[in-house]
Amino acid sequence: MNPTIDLLLTRRSVSANALGEPGPSAEELELILRSAARVPDHKKLVPWRFVVFQGDARAAFGAVLANVCRAEEKDPGAFRLENEAKRFLRAPLVIAVISRVVKNPAAPEWEQILSAGAACQNLIVAATALGYGAQWITEWCAYSAGVRAALPLAENERVAGFVYIGTPKEKPDERDRPKLADIVAPWQP
Ligand SMILES: Cc1cc2nc3c(=O)[nH]c(=O)nc-3n(C[C@H](O)[C@H](O)[C@H](O)COP(=O)(O)O)c2cc1C
């Protein structure tokens, strides 16, 4: 079997809770990010950027998440706040993929957002190819005004996803996939 096809046909996301040390080395991280920065990009607008969370930055961002949660939610409770503080500690590496849309008549917003989604997927595929597990997660933090301000994001930016990467602690079970017959059809006039 062709190794790329094999990877695409067998890849499974590994839940962030099942990702442990070690994370990618600096060299591997560069390969993963370069893979993500090679996605199709109509008009070379570079409609994405990446924010990397490793080491102590994960706990520091967790403190931000707990503060934002306290400010935005009614009575979150100590358990929830503790979980927020630990959210980015679930994996050794978290990469925020930021979609950044610019005005361009030849490449509408929709195409630029799709390109950011492709960047998320390339991060996952590259990490998986290097033997790591990965999961694309949004959760509440991708949509929170407080988290937007803390990252910080510009007006034209949005979180496309937080991609968690680490060593799988367990092999995920297979997941049902759609039957091609249900989603593929020849075009008929
Ligand atoms: C845009 C986007 C956001 C997602 N957000 C979450 C999330 O917040 N929490 C979660 O458990 N899975 C989320 N997922 C689903 C996982 O990334 C993943 O697809 C799922 O665990 C199934 O695994 P698979 O990739 O092996 O099919 C999201 C997927 C996408 C495309």
Side-chain angles (χ1 to χ4, degrees), residues 36 39-50 97-121 136 155-161:
V39 290
D41 168 13
H42 194 185
K43 294 292 169 193
K44 289 195 278 190
L45 299 176
V46 194
W48 17 257
R49 64 182 178 91
F50 307 98
V97 179
I98 311 300
S99 150
R100 42 189 291 276
V101 172
V102 296
K103 278 262 173 293
N104 187 297
E109 174 171 325
W110 169 237
E111 298 185 6
Q112 297 180 42
I113 294 170
L114 290 171
S115 181
C120 292
Q121 183 62 8
W136 176 354
E155 273 294 304
N156 65 333
E157 293 185 324
R158 265 195 287 184
V159 173

Side-chain angles (χ1 to χ4, degrees), residues 81-166:
L81 293 174
E82 258 171 53
N83 273 337
E84 294 309 336
K86 291 189 289 195
R87 187 171 290 284
F88 272 40
L89 291 171
R90 288 179 291 179
L93 168 66
V94 184
I95 303 175
V97 179
I98 311 300
S99 150
R100 42 189 291 276
V101 172
V102 296
K103 278 262 173 293
N104 187 297
E109 174 171 325
W110 169 237
E111 298 185 6
Q112 297 180 42
I113 294 170
L114 290 171
S115 181
C120 292
Q121 183 62 8
N122 264 22
L123 286 179
I124 292 173
V125 170
T128 306
L130 291 172
Y132 296 98
Q135 191 179 29
W136 176 354
I137 284 176
T138 42
E139 297 176 327
W140 70 275
C141 6
Y143 303 104
S144 146
V147 174
R148 274 192 73 86
L151 277 167
L153 299 188
E155 273 294 304
N156 65 333
E157 293 185 324
R158 265 195 287 184
V159 173
F162 297 104
V163 177
Y164 287 67
I165 298 172

